[in-house]
């Protein structure tokens, strides 16, 4: 799935981009993938989409799924993730532990990095794996 890309890549690298800005963009891209999956996945009513999406996009869910796929990340991807995780943001949502929120921010920074550098194949591959892992966790009651 290619989403919103008007150019093959906006940046060659994102090392100079503020990791919180990467996370800001990555949050939107991550949520768009989830929403597309829910809408195209079949029998869901419009008023249920938000409730289902929250199960995938909350900080606890993102932290949990990161643990599921972390072994698949390259060293470069770990560097981006660490930058996002260690960035100082203003506040932490009430529904998340500080560690969950930091890991979710790191994951979102990585998603933003893949998007801005035009690594849509890697973005799609990892989003597919993460959504699948969350669906499996949901079926196990996690």
């Amino acid at each position: 799935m290619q989403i919103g890309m008007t150019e093959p890549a906006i940046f060659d690298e994102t090392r100079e981009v503020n990791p919180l800005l990467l996370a800001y963009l990555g949050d939107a891209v991550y949520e768009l993938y989830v929403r597309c999956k829910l809408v195209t996945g079949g029998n869901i009513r419009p008023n249920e989409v938000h409730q289902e999406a929250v199960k995938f996009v909350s900080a606890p869910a993102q932290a949990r799924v990161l643990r599921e796929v972390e072994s698949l990340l390259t060293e470069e991807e770990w560097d981006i993730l660490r930058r996002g995780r260690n960035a100082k943001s203003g506040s932490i949502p009430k529904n998340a532990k500080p560690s969950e929120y930091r890991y979710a921010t790191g994951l979102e920074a990585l998603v933003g990095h893949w998007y801005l550098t035009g690594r849509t194949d890697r973005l799609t591959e990892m989003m597919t794996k993460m959504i699948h892992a969350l669906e499996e966790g949901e079926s196990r009651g996690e």
Side-chain angles (χ1 to χ4, degrees), residues 60-80:
Q62 288 178 333
R64 190 170 57 252
V65 79
L66 178 57
R67 288 189 291 277
E68 294 281 331
V69 300
E70 65 187 359
S71 64
L72 304 174
L73 300 178
T74 67
E75 191 59 40
E76 176 194 18
E77 292 167 341
W78 267 107
D79 288 343
I80 301 294

Side-chain angles (χ1 to χ4, degrees), residues 27-67:
D27 176 58
V29 172
Y30 186 96
E31 186 155 347
L32 185 56
Y33 267 87
V34 168
R35 287 181 181 197
C36 284
K37 169 70 174 160
L38 292 172
V39 168
T40 61
N43 224 359
I44 191 166
R45 291 189 280 200
N47 62 342
E48 296 172 332
V49 173
H50 177 72
Q51 293 169 323
E52 287 298 310
V54 168
K55 295 176 185 176
F56 291 87
V57 301
S58 68
Q62 288 178 333
R64 190 170 57 252
V65 79
L66 178 57
R67 288 189 291 277

Side-chain angles (χ1 to χ4, degrees), residues 110-128:
L110 183 56
V111 170
H113 164 77
W114 287 325
Y115 182 79
L116 285 178
T117 57
R119 295 177 183 159
T120 54
D121 289 344
R122 181 64 170 165
L123 172 62
T124 300
E125 171 195 0
M126 293 304 292
M127 285 302 305
T128 300

